[in-house]
């Protein structure tokens, strides 16, 4: 096998710290072809590599340069173009994990050489692998019928894809359907939304299930099985949506948190509800059965039961939007007492469809205060900025001023009017007061007394208001927003392949950005349907070794393994964490690109007396790359081996690494944040091993961090190096 | 369209009657529905279950009869209070038809082994036992006194239930310091032997030449479930294990006896003794005592005790309604919470 090694200078980034020529020479001594390039990733560099692959008839290449996270795909494409199998490329990360984090000295040079050797050893064991095409069902599940879910559904349906839209509330529309006028151009919110709502309802390609929930998702990207529960609304399709007869007789009035206002136990969320069927809320309906009598079309049916059904879909879009911060958790604002309301409640009071009107509650020219950042940008609650509340408050302040000649003060932390600065200016011009302060409600009597420190004037003041509006922040529907692969470059891809995120489900957005992300999600779904490919990293069974013990079947987090006589792995379902590979007692399972042979070969190239770090590709490896970008220095004895997940490392592999080295670190995601949901297992395995090792146990350590915790991982590695060296 | 809602309150004897008439037009026809809630204050034990069960907080409570007052203007005539009343003191009717409650208090159940004696009839605190008049000996045959024979009562077998004494005046029950004795009056006996058969336990033996045909009456006791309060007194008193009481409410009663010694002035207060329908509180040897087996966890004593010496927890009400707001109502009763009507000031703007 002929191996080519290309060492990149990367300007002074690499060549300024280590002697690249010497690295090339070391490779040559290993019997490889080698060459130094100025910038391997540049066009000239790439052309040179391509030329050499052909000229030298290379079977595999090593690129000693930056992190594989940056350019692995570049060089794989290059290899493919040059007639080489793309998985015959291995990168030695001598920039982020070597020259950027160590000083120019002998040890650094040695490390760069050794990293290259490790890569050479690994590439010798590499195999030809092939991506496989994924067959994706042409049906998409959209969860959440807010403006984002609506937009995604329409875009997909109009491109000829079947859509199933599942909405928890009795009507689609989400929060936008509740708003009064919307910034930036003060359109009537429901007027611009309701045509879209009926378009969704009428579109033949979209099946809408309101009052419904997704109870489980199984299967894999391209072929998900979802279970849907349709909750009874106790009103059948005879309902004409007249609502007046039944709701006026209904004796129960309840406060609805989602709607931000009061309603009866039988209700339509808003007059434009789609579908236009009333719903009886079983939590508050007391079965007085009076509506049965009052309903002329006889639409009320208390015999309804929840219905369950199953669907096969190819992709899923999560558009579950947001929930609002519960202001009761901040008792200093005395929410719930007379005169203290949330911003959503104010929107509802001002909205033309509301039964309770602002002018019925407050006299003309009321004095109104807005308190910003309630439960946002706050270390004790949500740290993030909720993005829309500044603008929403300014919008409502202007409306109050125009309609009721109100005297409005906005108490802010910082005004975030990104993209709408002129709107903010206009508010100031018409006399909305802005005070930089975070007040507390001191007293609620006839009026609400606020006490605050004006942080610009440095004075503590008290002031009375008729109404205090709390700009409560946004949170994910279950408290947390859905995590995406990359907040900038992959903002709509969830961590599970085939599942996308649109709208506020992934973080606070205004309507414009929600629509943007809905469009992107639809495009991504489309791309996924047309050309989804699977990396060939999947686990596979070596049937001659399998004894059918079922250990793998029980462990697999993706339910991809079935054992009848021998284990069988559904390639499409395998998410490639490597847990089964590490568990199989007979080594009967292996994995593409992260095979046992390849990883052991990499370990074998580490010289004695070093510290080996197994770093999970998703978090720890990225954290170490980030440490490089931040130039956080650590000891040169550290050798990092990239793994797909911390569970991939078997006990045998750890023991092997410990034999070779002074100490071994297993670094994975924070416990509970594992992308496959299995790293508790890795931790357990590590702890068992540590106790089995007895006195030697201190040479083994686990680090659990996220991709941005560079400082943490470096600190912990440094501490560990000190311990094993003493 | 609703045309009119009429709400009326009325009192008759000690019962309160609340009425709601709704008039509406449907398909051009004027229709009427009338709902009634009747509160029998004499049956009420003051447990306040209804106060918590009410979804619109229309019921307020007092520590004296009548224990509750329903504000008929707020009342929405849903009948949840009637469903949860363990005393069956509230009745709910729609257009005159009584509506079945969703909580079914099962109460006392007469078993096969019931001998038809009258012990339960005498002791039931809720008058839920009815006894069919047992025939008297004189209804069956004419007695000729002065005959000879022997009548023996086997004291080992006799359970002192007194059934024989109800039948024939030759047998007399005498209560002496709480202990019942059955005595035999020779002068009133003609040794016909019918009492042998009346005795549920074959404790009487008659030897004579004049024995008469069978009596032919076996069981005479009936339980009226609508009145049973599930105290369990009959079950612990029945000499024949002839009754089982299904207690639908489970709970726990705790008394702070140490503080009770110090502060309780039961002789003048007697609140707990008077309010407890199942007679779980009683006085013995000059001391206030509690028979926990009798407690039905209604919390009435807890509410009236002026010194707050009693703590009662209701753990469960044996009922699994399907409708969620019923579950919520039961939960409110368990946790002594009234229905929450938050943020109501915002409603002031609703016309
Ligand atoms: C007070 C206030 C004022 C605002 N004013 C403006 C404005 O003037 N201009 C502007 O641009 N933006 C404004 N916004 C922001 C705007 O509301 C959001 O950008 C927009 O509604 C986001 O849409 P969405 O579809 O992502 O989420 P949502 O509108 O929250 O919709 C999500 C939908 O998913 C459903 N759902 C949730 N969980 C599930 C589940 N598990 N299963 C099924 N369905 C589920 C929900 O019921 C809901 O219908 C305002 C926000 C607030 C709070
Ligand atoms: S948008 Fe404004 S009010 Fe909302 S959290 Fe951000 S800074 Fe605070």
């Amino acid at each position: 096998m002929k191996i080519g090694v290309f060492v990149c200078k990367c300007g002074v980034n690499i060549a300024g710290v280590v002697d690249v020529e010497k690295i090339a020479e070391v490779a040559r001594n290993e019997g490889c072809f080698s060459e130094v390039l100025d910038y391997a990733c540049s066009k000239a560099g790439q052309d040179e590599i391509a030329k050499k692959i052909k000229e030298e008839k290379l079977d595999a290449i090593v690129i000693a340069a930056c992190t594989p996270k940056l350019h692995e795909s570049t060089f794989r494409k290059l290899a493919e173009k040059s007639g080489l199998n793309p998985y015959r490329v291995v990168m030695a990360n001598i920039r982020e994990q070597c020259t950027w984090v160590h000083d120019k000295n002998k040890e650094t040079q040695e490390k760069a050489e050794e990293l290259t050797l490790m890569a050479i050893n690994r590439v010798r064991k590499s195999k030809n692998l092939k991506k496989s095409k994924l067959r994706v069902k042409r049906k998409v599940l959209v969860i959440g019928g807010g403006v984002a879910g609506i937009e995604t559904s329409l875009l997909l349906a109009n491109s000829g894809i079947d859509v199933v839209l599942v909405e928890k509330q009795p009507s689609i529309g989400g929060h936008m359907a509740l708003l009064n006028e919307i910034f930036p151009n003060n359109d009537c919110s429901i007027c611009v939304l309701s045509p879209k709502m009926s378009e969704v309802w009428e579109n033949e390609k979209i099946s809408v299930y309101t009052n419904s929930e997704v109870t489980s998702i199984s299967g894999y990207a391209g072929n998900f099985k979802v279970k849907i529960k349709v909750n009874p609304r106790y009103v059948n399709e005879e309902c004409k949506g007249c609502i007046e007869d039944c709701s006026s007789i209904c004796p129960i009035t309840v406060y609805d948190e989602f709607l931000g206002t009061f309603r009866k136990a039988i209700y339509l969320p808003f007059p434009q509800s789609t579908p236009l069927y009333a719903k009886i809320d079983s939590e508050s309906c007391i079965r007085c059965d009076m509506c049965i009598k009052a309903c002329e079309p006889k639409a009320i049916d208390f015999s309804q039961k929840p219905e369950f059904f199953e669907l096969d879909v190819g992709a899923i879009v999560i558009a579950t939007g947001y929930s609002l911060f519960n202001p009761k958790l901040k008792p200093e604002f005395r929410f719930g007492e007379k005169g203290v309301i949330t911003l959503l409640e104010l929107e509802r009071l001002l909205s033309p469809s509301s039964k309770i009107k602002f002018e019925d509650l407050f006299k003309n020219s009321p004095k109104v205060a807005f308190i910003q950042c309630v439960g946002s940008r706050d270390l004790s609650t949500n740290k993030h900025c909720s993005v829309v509340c500044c603008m929403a408050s300014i919008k409502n302040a202007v409306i109050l001023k125009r309609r009721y000649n109100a005297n409005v003060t906005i108490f802010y932390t910082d005004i975030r009017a990104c993209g709408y600065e002129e709107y903010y200016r206009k508010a100031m011009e018409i006399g909305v007061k802005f005070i930089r302060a975070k007040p507390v409600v001191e007293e609620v009597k006839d009026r609400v007394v606020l006490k605050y420190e004006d942080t610009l004037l440095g004075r503590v003041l008290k002031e009375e208001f008729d109404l205090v509006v709390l700009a409560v922040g946004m949170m994910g529907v279950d408290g947390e927003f859905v995590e995406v692969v990359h907040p900038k470059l992959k903002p709509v891809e969830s961590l599970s392949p085939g599942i996308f995120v649109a709208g506020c489900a992934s973080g606070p957005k205004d309507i414009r950005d929600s629509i943007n992300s809905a469009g992107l999600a639809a495009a991504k779904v489309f791309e996924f349907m047309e050309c989804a490919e699977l990396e060939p990293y999947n686990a596979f069974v070596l049937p001659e070794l399998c004894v059918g013990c079922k250990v793998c079947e029980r462990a697999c987090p993706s339910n991809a393994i079935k054992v009848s006589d021998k284990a069988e792995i559904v390639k499409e379902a395998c998410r490639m964490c490597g847990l089964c590979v590490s568990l199989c007692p007979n080594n009967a399972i292996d994995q593409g690109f992260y095979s046992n042979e390849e990883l052991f070969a990499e370990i074998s190239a580490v010289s004695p007396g070093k510290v080996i770090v197994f770093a999970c590709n998703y978090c720890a490896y990225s954290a170490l790359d980030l440490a490089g970008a931040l130039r956080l220095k650590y000891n040169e004895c550290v050798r990092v081996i990239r793994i797909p997940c911390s569970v991939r490392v078997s006990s045998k592999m750890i023991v092997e690494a410990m034999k070779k080295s002074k100490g071994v670190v297993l670094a994975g995601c924070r416990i509970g944040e594992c992308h496959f949901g299995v790293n508790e297992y890795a931790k357990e395995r590590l702890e068992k091993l540590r106790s089995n090792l007895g006195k030697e146990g201190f040479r083994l350590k686990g680090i659990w961090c996220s991709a941005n915790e560079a400082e943490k991982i470096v600190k912990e590695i440094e501490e560990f190096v000190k311990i094993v060296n003493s | 369209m609703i045309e009119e809602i009429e709400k009326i309150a009325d009192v008759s004897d000690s019962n309160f009657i609340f009425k709601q008439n709704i008039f509406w037009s449907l398909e051009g026809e004027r229709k009427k529905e009338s709902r009634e809630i009747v509160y029998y204050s004499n049956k009420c034990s003051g447990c306040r279950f209804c106060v918590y069960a009410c979804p619109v907080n229309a019921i307020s409570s007092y520590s004296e009869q009548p224990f509750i007052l329903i504000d008929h203007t707020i009342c929405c005539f849903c009948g949840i209070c009637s469903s949860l009343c363990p005393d069956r003191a509230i009745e709910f009717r729609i257009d005159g038809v009584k509506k079945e409650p969703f909580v079914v208090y099962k109460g006392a159940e007469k078993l096969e082994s019931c001998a038809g004696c009258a012990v339960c009839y005498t002791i039931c605190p809720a008058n839920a036992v009815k006894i069919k008049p047992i025939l008297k000996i004189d209804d069956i045959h004419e007695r000729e006194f002065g005959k000879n024979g022997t009548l023996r009562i086997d004291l080992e077998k006799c359970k002192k239930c007194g059934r024989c004494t109800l039948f024939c005046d030759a047998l007399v029950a005498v209560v002496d310091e709480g202990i019942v004795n059955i005595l035999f009056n020779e002068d009133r006996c003609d040794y016909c032997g019918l009492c042998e058969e009346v005795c549920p336990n074959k404790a009487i033996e008659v030897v004579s030449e004049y024995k008469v045909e069978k009596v032919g009456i076996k069981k005479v006791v009936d339980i009226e479930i609508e009145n049973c309060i599930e105290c369990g007194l009959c079950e612990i008193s029945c000499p024949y294990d002839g009754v089982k009481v299904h207690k639908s409410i489970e709970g726990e009663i705790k008394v702070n006896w140490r503080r009770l010694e110090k502060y309780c002035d039961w002789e003048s207060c007697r609140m707990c003794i008077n309010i407890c329908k199942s007679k779980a509180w009683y006085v013995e040897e000059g001391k206030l005592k509690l028979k926990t087996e009798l407690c039905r966890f209604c919390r009435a004593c807890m509410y009236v005790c002026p010194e707050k010496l009693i703590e009662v927890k209701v753990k469960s009400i044996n009922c699994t309604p399907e409708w969620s707001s019923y579950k919520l109502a039961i939960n409110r009763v368990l946790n002594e919470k009234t229905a929450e009507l938050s943020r109501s000031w915002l409603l002031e703007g609703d016309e």
Side-chain angles (χ1 to χ4, degrees):
Chain A
M1 175 188 250
K2 186 142 192 212
I3 296 165
V5 177
F6 299 90
V7 186
C8 177
K9 283 186 178 167
C10 196
V12 291
N13 280 312
I14 295 173
V17 181
V18 291
D19 181 347
V20 282
E21 290 298 344
K22 232 177 121 206
I23 300 174
E25 194 185 314
V26 168
R28 232 166 280 133
N29 293 343
E30 283 289 306
C32 304
F33 165 83
S34 74
E35 189 174 324
V36 172
L37 302 168
D38 284 339
Y39 289 99
C41 60
S42 68
K43 172 135 198 329
Q46 291 199 41
D47 287 348
E48 177 65 15
I49 297 172
K51 198 171 105 200
K52 285 289 151 36
I53 291 175
K54 289 201 182 105
E55 273 178 24
E56 301 286 332
K57 300 206 171 54
L58 298 177
D59 298 309
I61 57 172
V62 167
I63 316 278
C66 53
T67 169
K69 293 227 145 186
L70 209 58
H71 280 313
E72 191 171 55
S73 56
T74 317
F75 293 119
R76 277 185 182 163
K77 273 188 206 121
L78 169 68
E80 197 164 17
K81 264 195 279 176
S82 319
L84 198 63
N85 184 285
Y87 297 92
R88 293 281 193 167
V89 179
V90 171
M91 291 191 73
N93 185 347
I94 61 168
R95 191 178 78 175
E96 278 82 351
Q97 296 180 6
C98 184
T99 58
W100 275 0
V101 287
H102 306 312
D103 297 327
K104 182 172 180 169
N105 57 32
K106 202 175 107 237
E107 283 79 22
T108 310
Q109 178 70 28
E110 200 182 294
K111 176 169 178 179
E113 287 165 16
E114 200 165 302
L115 289 178
T116 313
L117 279 177
M118 284 160 71
I120 294 173
N121 259 20
R122 192 184 198 284
V123 86
R124 280 205 178 108
K125 304 287 179 192
S126 65
K127 293 181 189 68
N128 287 344
L129 300 171
K130 213 169 143 246
K131 278 191 184 174
S132 52
K133 183 105 180 61
L134 194 62
R135 285 173 51 117
V136 180
K137 286 228 159 60
R138 287 182 75 81
K139 189 177 223 173
V140 179
L141 168 70
V142 178
I143 311 176
V147 61
I150 288 175
E151 181 73 10
T152 311
S153 302
L154 283 175
L155 287 171
L156 289 171
N158 292 342
S159 331
I161 294 172
D162 288 316
V163 177
V164 177
L165 176 60
V166 174
E167 166 60 53
K168 195 161 63 176
Q169 293 289 328
S171 165
I172 56 171
H175 283 97
M176 187 174 165
L178 309 175
L179 303 177
N180 171 30
E181 292 171 8
I182 44 172
F183 66 78
N185 34 359
N186 286 32
D187 293 314
C188 154
S189 184
I190 189 72
C191 311
V192 290
L193 184 64
S194 69
K196 276 183 183 283
M197 285 158 58
S198 31
E199 206 183 323
V200 165
W201 184 247
E202 262 137 42
N203 195 311
E204 280 174 3
K205 289 246 159 223
I206 308 177
S207 332
V208 182
Y209 295 95
T210 50
N211 228 15
S212 307
E213 293 161 82
V214 175
T215 53
S216 83
I217 297 176
S218 56
Y220 46 85
N223 198 355
F224 292 107
K225 279 206 176 345
V226 292
K227 288 202 181 117
I228 295 172
K229 177 182 176 200
V230 183
N231 292 313
R233 47 187 341 133
Y234 303 109
V235 174
N236 64 29
E237 281 156 33
E238 296 297 315
C239 176
K240 306 278 180 287
C242 60
I243 203 67
E244 201 41 48
D245 287 357
C246 52
S247 76
S248 67
I249 201 170
C250 177
I252 298 297
T253 301
V254 282
Y255 179 77
D256 187 313
E257 218 141 290
F258 181 82
L259 299 179
T261 186
F262 288 90
R263 58 160 170 80
K264 289 296 182 74
I266 183 164
Y267 70 108
L268 277 179
F270 28 87
Q272 300 82 351
S273 293
T274 310
L276 196 63
Y277 302 142
K279 178 197 167 178
I280 293 175
D281 156 27
S282 66
E283 296 277 298
S284 46
C285 161
I286 51 172
R287 284 304 304 276
C288 70
D289 290 2
M290 285 200 273
C291 50
I292 300 184
K293 308 232 160 118
C295 176
E296 197 139 1
K298 308 225 174 312
I300 292 169
D301 176 3
F302 280 111
S303 68
Q304 287 183 358
K305 294 266 167 328
E307 282 168 39
F308 297 86
F309 63 95
E310 277 188 29
L311 275 181
D312 293 335
V313 295
I316 298 174
V317 179
I318 303 176
T320 47
Y322 58 92
S323 61
L324 288 169
F325 175 77
N326 176 5
K328 289 226 168 96
L329 298 177
K330 291 247 132 200
E332 64 265 39
F333 299 123
R334 297 173 66 162
F335 172 72
E337 292 185 41
K338 189 170 176 187
V340 186
I341 64 172
T342 66
L343 195 52
L344 181 67
E345 285 171 349
L346 177 68
E347 291 267 353
R348 301 294 288 161
L349 288 177
L350 296 175
S351 141
S353 70
S354 173
K355 280 197 143 179
I356 310 167
K357 298 248 184 301
F358 187 86
E359 54 267 36
D360 298 332
L361 284 170
F362 301 98
K363 58 182 186 342
N364 213 19
S365 344
K367 207 167 159 213
V368 183
F370 287 82
I371 302 180
Q372 296 307 107
C373 303
V374 173
S376 313
R377 309 183 64 202
D378 180 338
L379 291 181
S380 64
T381 56
N382 296 321
K383 293 178 194 73
H384 61 257
C385 166
S386 294
V387 179
V388 292
C389 21
C390 273
M391 279 305 295
S393 291
I394 294 174
K395 165 188 81 179
N396 286 308
V398 172
I399 294 172
L400 285 176
K401 194 126 198 114
R402 295 230 164 104
R403 279 202 215 159
Y404 305 108
N405 188 27
N407 174 344
V408 187
T409 311
I410 296 182
F411 293 96
Y412 66 95
T413 316
D414 301 288
I415 288 292
R416 306 245 160 133
C418 308
Y420 308 109
E421 191 66 17
E422 60 299 338
Y423 204 92
Y424 172 33
R425 295 242 151 265
K426 210 163 66 197
M428 284 198 275
E429 273 161 27
I430 67 166
V432 175
K433 265 185 276 175
F434 287 84
I435 298 181
R436 190 162 183 279
K438 189 125 187 196
V440 293
V441 175
E442 182 153 282
E443 211 180 334
V444 180
K445 276 197 303 200
D446 292 342
R447 302 178 95 198
V448 187
V449 183
L450 292 186
K451 185 175 169 186
Y452 61 93
E453 182 194 351
D454 185 325
T455 53
L456 296 182
L457 296 177
R459 284 218 318 256
V460 177
L461 297 161
K462 271 191 203 175
E463 208 173 332
E464 283 189 9
F465 291 91
D466 297 306
L467 176 65
V468 170
V469 183
L470 306 177
V472 287
M474 288 185 184
M475 307 196 307
V477 268
D478 301 316
E480 297 281 332
F481 290 112
V482 182
E483 208 178 327
V484 292
V485 175
H486 191 283
K488 287 202 175 66
L489 301 179
K490 297 196 166 182
V492 300
E493 280 101 324
S494 84
L495 301 173
S496 309
I499 303 186
F500 302 88
V501 197
C504 290
S506 59
K509 287 173 191 66
D510 63 5
I511 292 165
R512 181 184 60 182
D513 288 351
S514 298
I515 294 271
N516 278 345
S517 88
L520 182 58
K524 290 281 178 180
V525 168
F526 209 69
E527 179 197 55
F528 174 73
M529 298 228 142
E530 293 302 311
C531 37
E533 279 182 327
L534 284 174
E535 284 289 359
Y537 301 167
N538 58 289
F540 54 87
V541 181
L542 309 167
E544 59 287 4
L545 291 178
C546 177
V547 291
C549 70
K550 298 197 175 183
V551 167
C552 50
E553 189 183 66
R554 280 194 292 269
C556 176
S558 336
N559 291 327
I561 309 184
K562 287 279 158 300
V563 182
S564 46
D565 178 22
K566 298 193 178 283
E568 272 167 45
I569 299 181
V570 182
K571 192 159 119 191
E572 291 81 8
C574 171
R575 286 167 65 208
M576 311 166 187
C577 65
L579 176 58
C580 56
V581 188
S582 75
L583 277 176
C584 179
N586 215 25
N587 292 331
I589 306 184
D590 212 337
Q591 180 174 16
F593 197 66
Y594 293 105
S595 70
N596 281 328
E597 251 193 329
E598 281 163 290
L599 294 180
F600 277 112
E602 206 170 342
I603 297 170
S604 73
V606 178
S607 60
K610 301 292 181 293
V611 167
I612 297 181
V613 178
F614 291 103
C616 158
N617 180 45
Y618 283 96
C619 45
Y621 197 87
S622 304
L624 283 164
D625 281 347
L626 180 62
L630 299 172
R631 310 296 197 273
L632 303 172
K633 303 268 174 200
Y634 51 89
N635 197 292
E636 294 87 353
C637 71
V638 174
R639 301 288 181 269
V640 180
I641 294 178
R642 180 161 71 129
I643 45 168
C645 170
S646 53
V647 293
R648 170 64 187 89
V649 185
S650 60
S651 304
K652 196 170 152 218
M653 205 175 271
I654 295 180
V655 172
E656 182 67 25
M658 287 192 65
K659 274 193 216 149
K660 289 234 65 164
S661 66
K662 271 193 170 164
V664 171
V665 174
L666 182 60
C669 305
R670 284 197 290 228
I671 299 298
E673 290 180 9
C674 171
H675 298 70
F676 310 102
V678 285
N679 70 351
E680 276 95 354
Y681 190 86
K683 192 176 174 198
E684 212 174 281
R685 171 150 64 194
L686 195 84
E687 261 144 33
K688 220 182 276 166
L689 212 57
R690 265 169 71 106
S691 67
N692 285 351
L693 285 168
K695 242 174 46 221
E696 291 287 288
F698 78 95
R699 284 173 50 213
L700 183 57
K701 180 184 168 73
I703 298 178
W704 314 102
C705 65
S706 68
N708 55 17
E709 291 183 314
E711 277 171 23
K712 176 177 167 184
I713 193 169
V714 165
K715 195 170 137 243
E716 291 201 21
I717 287 179
E718 277 294 271
E719 278 165 12
F720 180 68
V721 169
K722 248 185 228 137
I723 291 170
V724 294
N725 275 339
S726 62
Chain B
M1 277 305 285
I2 309 294
E3 290 178 347
E4 197 185 336
I5 303 181
E6 217 175 66
K7 296 195 176 188
I8 313 153
D10 201 0
V11 187
S12 77
D13 305 332
S14 56
N15 301 334
F16 295 76
I17 302 167
F18 305 93
K19 221 178 190 167
Q20 169 179 272
N21 291 322
I22 295 194
F23 301 90
W24 75 99
S25 60
L26 202 62
E27 292 154 4
E29 215 181 297
R30 185 170 154 99
K31 301 204 167 193
K32 176 187 160 184
E33 182 205 78
S34 138
R35 294 188 174 206
E36 247 175 342
I37 289 194
V38 185
Y39 169 51
Y40 299 101
S41 68
N42 54 341
K43 281 188 170 189
C44 174
S45 67
C47 69
R48 302 188 189 174
F49 276 24
C50 53
V51 176
Y52 302 121
C54 179
V56 289
N57 294 342
I59 310 181
S60 38
S61 58
Y62 302 90
S63 41
E64 280 170 30
Q65 280 281 10
F67 291 112
I68 59 160
L69 212 67
I70 303 177
D71 183 339
H72 68 287
T73 58
I74 301 178
C75 174
C76 61
F77 292 83
C78 65
I80 287 189
C81 52
S82 122
S83 269
L84 271 159
C85 177
D87 302 315
R88 301 172 168 96
I90 304 179
E91 202 173 289
F92 177 47
R93 301 189 206 120
I94 299 181
D95 289 334
V97 183
K98 194 176 144 193
K99 217 179 148 202
E100 283 311 309
F102 63 82
V103 178
V104 180
Y105 292 104
K106 279 206 211 139
E109 181 192 354
K110 194 167 81 172
L111 304 179
E112 277 297 308
S113 48
C114 168
C117 75
V119 168
C120 50
Y121 170 69
T122 8
I123 55 160
C124 177
N127 293 331
V129 184
K130 286 286 163 297
I131 187 155
K132 272 198 219 123
I134 182 170
L135 290 178
K136 295 275 184 187
I137 187 156
D138 298 319
D139 301 335
I140 297 175
H141 84 126
E142 207 163 301
R143 281 186 282 175
E144 288 170 43
F145 299 112
K147 290 184 171 164
N148 276 336
T150 56
L151 183 148
R152 221 168 49 80
I153 301 176
D154 183 341
L155 291 179
E156 303 249 299
K157 283 187 178 171
C158 172
K159 298 206 179 191
K160 321 273 194 299
C161 70
R163 186 163 143 106
C164 55
T165 68
L166 293 175
F167 179 67
C168 177
D169 56 359
L171 294 153
V172 189
V174 187
V175 186
D176 183 15
E177 284 189 12
I179 299 169
V180 184
N181 268 319
I182 310 286
L183 299 184
F184 174 46
N185 179 356
E186 282 172 31
D187 296 344
R188 305 286 301 155
C189 181
D190 70 346
Y191 302 98
C192 69
L194 285 177
C195 55
E196 267 183 8
E197 249 183 89
V198 173
C199 175
N201 224 27
K202 304 266 167 288
I204 308 178
E205 195 189 348
V206 178
V207 184
S208 82
E209 300 159 18
Y210 323 106
K211 286 209 171 173
V212 174
E213 296 269 301
K214 303 210 166 218
V215 182
I217 20 164
K218 280 273 180 262
K219 288 181 183 165
V220 287
V221 171
D222 249 329
I223 302 169
E224 284 182 347
I225 286 296
E226 312 86 81
N227 290 331
C228 173
I229 58 167
E230 301 187 343
C231 66
L233 188 58
C234 54
E235 185 177 327
I236 56 178
S237 317
C238 177
Y240 301 102
D241 292 335
V243 59
K244 166 102 194 100
V245 177
H246 301 280
K247 291 212 171 199
S248 311
I249 302 172
E250 274 173 42
E252 198 183 19
I253 178 162
K254 276 196 219 153
V255 181
N256 192 335
W257 293 107
R258 274 225 324 271
R259 282 194 54 215
L260 188 135
E261 287 280 323
K262 254 190 172 167
Y263 300 109
C264 171
D265 176 16
W266 63 266
E267 278 167 71
S268 61
C269 161
R270 297 188 76 89
M271 287 294 245
C272 54
I273 304 174
N274 290 344
I275 205 165
C276 179
K277 271 196 142 183
S278 60
K279 308 257 183 290
W281 289 103
Y282 65 105
V283 176
E284 200 180 82
E285 293 165 355
K287 279 198 168 140
L288 181 64
K289 291 194 172 162
L290 171 73
K291 207 172 222 140
T292 331
E293 309 95 276
L294 292 184
C295 176
R296 29 182 221 130
F297 313 108
C298 75
R299 295 191 286 227
C301 58
M302 172 173 103
Y303 295 132
V304 294
C305 175
E307 297 292 341
K308 305 253 167 295
L309 299 165
I310 309 166
E311 194 191 329
V312 185
K313 279 216 174 75
V314 183
K315 285 191 183 138
S316 69
I317 296 176
N318 187 6
C319 163
T320 42
E322 271 182 25
W323 196 249
S324 12
S325 69
Y326 291 172
K327 284 184 208 151
L328 295 178
I330 290 178
N331 271 338
R332 285 199 301 270
V333 170
L334 297 187
N335 300 318
E336 295 182 77
K337 288 222 164 72
T338 48
E340 209 176 305
L341 302 174
S342 60
R343 331 241 327 101
S344 44
W345 69 270
L346 266 176
L347 270 175
E348 285 163 22
D350 197 2
E351 1 68 298

